[in-house]
Amino acid sequence: MNDSRSAKVELRSFRPHCEDHCKPCPNPPPRNCLIRFTPLQADIFEELLDDLIDSIQFVFTPPSGPLPDVFKELQNLFKSMRLSLRDQADLFAATELPITAYEQSEGWTTALIAATQTALTELYALSLLACVSSSVKDGWVIRIRMAETNLAGIENTVPPVISGTTLVFNGGSNLISLSFNPTTGFATTGVVVGQGFVSQSIPVTTDGSSSTVSIALASGSEGTNYAFSMPQSGTLNAITASFTPIPTMVAGEQIIIQAQLCRALPTTSLYTPFVTIPGAVLLLIPSLSGSVSGITCTGSLNGLNISLNAEDRLVVVFTLIGNVGTTPTFILGTGSASFTVALDSSPASNAPILPFASVSTVDLSFNETGLPISGGAVAFGFSQTESVTLPQSFAVNPLFNQFTATVPGGGKITSVAAYFGVKSGQVIPANSTVNVQALLYRYTNENLTATAFGNVLVRLTALTEGTYTANSPGAHGIVSGLNIEIGEDDHILLVFFALSNTVIANSITGWASGGISVIPNGS
């Protein structure tokens, strides 16, 4: 059907069927198999898997295309096999779904993609239970994964049907390094995915079912604050994620890649773990086993109804689930994710959210009169302490360009949320109060000078006297009901300052983050 046939020459090597039953089979099927194939049925099944690879292509636009015919031929094959009534019913139901969806669709849709993936998952399970040699089974698994890779490529071009604000996190070519405990199979490290960057591996803990991940961003390293704040409340409607592992060999049981949205309250310190939001966890398919090369693991959840509060702090975390005795205990790859939120108070369904996270700490210094003499300029994934007084302009480090985004066509800022987590061990003297504030700054590529604008001052909760520990609350604040114009070339920064009533020059160090809600022009 297309050039993918040329890739099948190598795949044919996975076919040493024992067709001469008078000779001992050099590759006997495993004893724990459940579904028997005759040599002819095995050959037909393999040919149809090849046809699936050819049929799941973007060039075939539903309802025109060969995919329904391939599934119908698979159904004919199932009729000829010695299957239990339950197995036959499951296989017929799984393959009938994409047939119906394909014939009723005008182009590739999310429903058709989901139905096709369900059928491929059922065929994958059938392959694992087949009474064939291990090399034949490996060939079938490779073919199904190739079909899933084609389907993932189509899925990436189909816009979501859920209306709302979609935040996209794509690590690009940056490697994600995940690991699990060889004794328990639970994840030991996870990675936060940003926009064009990923975090280092961060220690995680899990509950007894591996469905809930806890990750403390300030544990062990200062450079892990990738959490941003929701500038408005809303409802989480959908999540998608993908992960492409680098080539490796997985021996033993399967390894499953997992992606989840994790949350922490605005009142807690950055040492307090972020925890998976119930229902916001994805198990990506296919799972990893045998020779892993040229595949992409994907997953999506639609129709969610999960409340997100204004000032909720969020991170998208990738982890994996292993098995006892499985090697390797770590996986490298690249990944991306997105989630869609229907904002409660925004009239525009496509109102973007601009995230901010300092990653490293910033130092907010003030003089003996309590006025600021340095501020922390924050984008999403990069920050810098600037020797600047309030509200003085400053020269922008060009590195900020990689961690800021403009709004095409410009728009209006409607709300701003800000958070500051104090680094443990700092002391605010008796009878002293430190007030952290965040201001909006903007600059353009042509003029790398950041200037305060909008007359917006986000006042965070006051930091009072005492010694700050890992259990001390964070400072936070939000301003809504705004109507501040931004141009299509404007890069936005949040700049944090500290003021104090003390008579001693001092500073406060911590992690800064936030979020801005924008209604684009023309909405």
Side-chain angles (χ1 to χ4, degrees), residues 126-416:
L126 173 68
S127 299
L128 295 182
L129 298 175
C131 297
V132 296
S133 65
S134 58
S135 55
V136 172
K137 187 173 297 187
D138 286 345
W140 292 356
V141 168
I142 289 174
R143 287 170 169 83
I144 293 170
R145 285 176 171 173
M146 288 179 66
E148 288 177 321
T149 298
N150 288 355
L151 188 64
I154 293 172
E155 185 177 24
N156 289 336
T157 66
V158 177
V161 296
I162 303 295
S163 65
T165 295
T166 300
L167 286 90
V168 178
F169 303 88
N170 191 333
S173 60
N174 298 294
L175 283 181
I176 294 170
S177 178
L178 309 174
S179 65
F180 67 91
N181 187 316
T183 302
T184 64
F186 292 165
T188 53
T189 61
V191 168
V192 178
V193 178
Q195 294 174 340
F197 60 87
V198 300
S199 75
Q200 61 188 4
S201 294
I202 306 172
V204 298
T205 58
T206 61
D207 65 6
S209 63
S210 293
S211 61
T212 299
V213 167
S214 298
I215 180 169
L217 298 187
S219 62
S221 174
E222 291 186 6
T224 54
N225 175 32
Y226 293 92
F228 66 96
S229 300
M230 282 289 293
Q232 294 186 39
S233 60
T235 302
L236 178 65
N237 287 333
I239 307 174
T240 67
S242 66
F243 182 85
T244 303
I246 66 174
T248 189
M249 176 64 71
V250 176
E253 298 297 324
Q254 301 169 353
I255 295 175
I256 299 174
I257 306 299
Q258 185 171 272
Q260 52 262 305
L261 184 62
C262 297
R263 168 168 54 192
L265 297 177
T267 54
T268 58
S269 76
L270 205 70
Y271 298 88
T272 301
F274 286 69
V275 179
T276 300
I277 299 173
V281 57
L282 279 172
L283 299 180
L284 307 187
I285 53 178
S287 55
L288 307 180
S289 64
S291 177
V292 176
S293 179
I295 66 169
T296 297
C297 309
T298 62
S300 62
L301 290 173
N302 295 308
L304 301 178
N305 186 26
I306 300 173
S307 295
L308 297 178
N309 303 310
E311 297 192 83
D312 274 354
R313 296 185 291 128
L314 304 175
V315 284
V316 177
V317 181
F318 278 75
T319 56
L320 54 78
I321 303 171
N323 284 279
V324 177
T326 298
T327 58
T329 58
F330 67 92
I331 293 292
L332 298 174
T334 57
S336 63
S338 69
F339 65 88
T340 302
V341 182
L343 297 175
D344 290 341
S345 58
S346 175
S349 62
N350 62 336
I353 290 175
L354 305 181
F356 295 83
S358 65
V359 179
S360 300
T361 56
V362 291
D363 299 320
L364 312 183
S365 301
F366 45 89
N367 59 25
E368 62 276 2
T369 66
L371 295 178
I373 55 177
S374 74
V378 178
F380 186 44
F382 183 71
S383 63
Q384 193 162 309
T385 299
E386 302 285 350
S387 297
V388 57
T389 59
L390 178 72
Q392 182 183 13
S393 299
F394 61 91
V396 174
N397 185 334
L399 283 176
F400 274 110
N401 289 344
Q402 303 176 37
F403 302 93
T404 55
T406 58
V407 177
K412 297 178 178 65
I413 293 175
T414 59
S415 59
V416 181

Side-chain angles (χ1 to χ4, degrees), residues 58 60-64 101-113 154 158:
F58 199 78
F60 296 120
T61 304
S64 299
Y102 198 98
E103 292 175 343
Q104 295 179 354
S105 295
E106 294 292 335
W108 288 94
T109 64
T110 54
L112 171 56
I113 290 169
I154 293 172
V158 177

